[in-house]
Amino acid sequence: MADGEKNGGWSVRRATRFYIPLLVQAFSQSLTYPLVAAVVSHGPDGTDVLTAFAQGQLVMFMIGSLSGGLVTTGMVFARTRAGYANFKKLTFLMMAALLGLQTVAAMPPFCDVIFEGLLNLPPRLAAIARDTLFWGLPLHAAFFLRNISLSILFNARESAAANNATFVRIAVTLAASFAFVECGLTGPRWGLFAMTFPVFIEFALSHLFSQRHVRRLPEEGEVASVRGQLKFAMPLSLGGFLLSLAPFMVAAFAGRSAGGVSMLAVHYTTIGVANAFGFASLRMQTVAIQFPPEYPGDRRVLRYAIAAGAILGACLLVPAHPLVAGWYFRTIQNIPAEHVAKAQIVMLVYAFWPALQSVRGCMEGIAAVRRRPKAILAGQVAYIAAMASVLGALLRCGAQGWWMGACAILSATAATVCAIRFALGRQTAADGMPVMRSERPVRTSA
């Protein structure tokens, strides 16, 4: 048996067995958003309301991104009972602070500045976005609570258990979405309910599955205080906040292009599909944390990431096919027929995205294992800077809004990969890649 199989180290089989549930989980979680979008867009005002609903959630997720480093922090520090207890305290403190911030953002005059000013929504749609932000508080709380259990399950390499909880969530969301549309329960409020209730079910199941691993946590070992964990999490969270500005920026720029609201509808329906594969690719970060490079120059995880991302990217060619595009974008998502061809082109562009996302996730995981959150932050700063530059250039050139989001996201992800690679290269050996946990054993003859 190979060394990797004996000691739990790297092997393609072991990594794949760990990654596939993560992939399915990320894909399933992302799939819930297009399902809920169908409930919203089949309401009386169609895709215009979907734009307002999406922008209300956009602000919620931007606020939530300030806790974006929590799962990684839990994977690094919640490995003893005391470390786990401190991680829970940190999670609850951040949850209280950010839910308070979300409440303030949904109140006048802040909501008017955000939705009517920055996002350029007309008053009627701004009111829908504001309501979505406020009534999204329970949904946001459920995400916080779920993250505690996810850190434990990932550390135990029980990604399949987390995946089972997500399967239940997607099944409930699917059933609710179809039932609500059939019964005429459509519009933003029913869409938000169809999204929130299944997440609470997922949280309850994840908590149940994680408890046996919590009971097995050792008493002895490294313990980081709440302040110490916060110090580790903050660069990751700040970077997550910068990343969350990306859809906000796309909305702000594309909304000012010709036909802004309808162009944003094309962007939101296509990114809803692409995100499923993009988030699945980004889960390579968790794989890299569990299977870091084992000797100088070890690029096995990187090659694995490239191959996995290429396969996921090829899957995005399917919704670009005329038959599939006509059925999904026109019939399911209810966008105007004249915009279907635009959606097809965007999906072709997004086919290149998962490979870049996968490499980015791999490098972020390596940086996390080395406890170099500033390298991750450098990549995220590069992401937002590149996106702002590309969006600004496209708007000045008169590009249409449906095209701007895909070009900017692809360019920004490429910039992130380059920035993290450079940052890690300054902190590692001359080859610039990864963690050097141990040297490769040298075989000699007897």
Side-chain angles (χ1 to χ4, degrees), residues 33-51 53 181 185-188 191 265 269 328-335:
Y33 300 107
L35 289 173
V36 170
V39 176
V40 177
S41 64
H42 278 80
D45 296 310
T47 54
D48 285 353
V49 171
L50 174 60
T51 297
F53 178 83
V181 171
L185 303 176
T186 56
T269 52
Y328 178 75
F329 293 112
R330 180 73 189 100
T331 305
I332 301 299
Q333 294 298 343
N334 199 34
I335 71 171

Side-chain angles (χ1 to χ4, degrees), residues 58-92:
L58 181 156
V59 176
M60 183 188 77
F61 289 129
M62 185 175 70
I63 293 170
S65 68
L66 288 168
S67 65
L70 280 179
V71 173
T72 302
T73 301
M75 291 185 67
V76 173
F77 293 108
R79 294 179 177 270
T80 64
R81 288 185 180 273
Y84 173 69
N86 288 340
F87 174 62
K88 286 179 66 178
K89 291 177 184 176
L90 175 63
T91 300
F92 284 122

Side-chain angles (χ1 to χ4, degrees), residues 137-416:
L137 285 166
L139 174 64
H140 199 177
F143 284 135
F144 269 104
L145 297 172
R146 185 198 63 181
N147 286 344
I148 299 173
S149 302
L150 288 184
S151 295
I152 295 297
L153 290 173
F154 290 160
N155 272 344
R157 296 191 183 178
E158 287 281 359
S159 53
N163 192 41
N164 291 337
T166 301
F167 270 136
V168 174
R169 172 189 169 188
I170 191 68
V172 174
T173 306
L174 180 66
S177 298
F178 279 100
F180 286 7
V181 171
E182 287 296 319
C183 296
L185 303 176
T186 56
R189 291 189 177 182
W190 284 109
L192 189 59
F193 180 80
M195 178 179 288
T196 302
F197 179 64
V199 176
F200 272 96
I201 295 176
E202 181 187 28
F203 152 64
L205 291 174
S206 298
H207 177 74
L208 179 65
F209 296 154
S210 68
Q211 287 310 291
R212 66 187 179 96
H213 299 294
V214 170
R215 290 191 292 269
R216 294 174 183 172
L217 289 175
E219 296 284 353
E220 303 296 328
E222 178 186 6
V223 178
S225 65
V226 174
R227 179 177 296 182
Q229 293 189 26
L230 177 63
K231 185 177 179 181
F232 178 86
M234 283 311 297
L236 301 179
S237 297
L238 177 60
F241 176 74
L242 292 175
L243 290 181
S244 75
L245 288 175
F248 192 90
M249 290 173 59
V250 170
F253 278 88
R256 286 169 168 77
S257 66
V261 173
S262 61
M263 293 300 98
L264 279 173
V266 175
H267 167 68
Y268 285 129
T269 52
T270 52
I271 194 63
V273 178
N275 268 342
F277 295 89
F279 286 143
S281 301
L282 200 55
R283 287 299 178 90
M284 197 59 65
Q285 180 189 96
T286 308
V287 176
I289 292 174
Q290 287 296 320
F291 301 96
E294 297 172 355
Y295 51 85
D298 183 4
R299 291 179 172 83
R300 293 175 296 175
V301 180
L302 178 61
R303 288 194 292 266
Y304 182 85
I306 294 171
I311 293 171
L312 290 172
C315 295
L316 284 175
L317 298 175
V318 175
H321 190 278
L323 292 178
V324 178
W327 167 75
Y328 178 75
F329 293 112
R330 180 73 189 100
T331 305
I332 301 299
Q333 294 298 343
N334 199 34
I335 71 171
E338 62 270 22
H339 293 332
V340 172
K342 297 181 179 68
Q344 289 177 259
I345 295 172
V346 172
M347 296 313 303
L348 289 174
V349 175
Y350 277 136
F352 296 95
W353 190 36
L356 287 171
Q357 281 281 83
S358 191
V359 173
R360 167 187 159 191
C362 177
M363 291 184 175
E364 288 179 346
I366 290 168
V369 170
R370 297 196 69 217
R371 302 193 181 180
R372 295 287 188 267
K374 290 182 180 178
I376 301 175
L377 179 60
Q380 293 164 341
V381 169
Y383 185 96
I384 204 69
M387 174 160 286
S389 300
V390 172
L391 286 171
L394 290 174
L395 185 62
R396 286 193 297 271
C397 293
Q400 292 187 329
W402 63 272
W403 176 250
M404 293 168 67
C407 291
I409 289 171
L410 204 67
S411 301
T413 306
T416 303

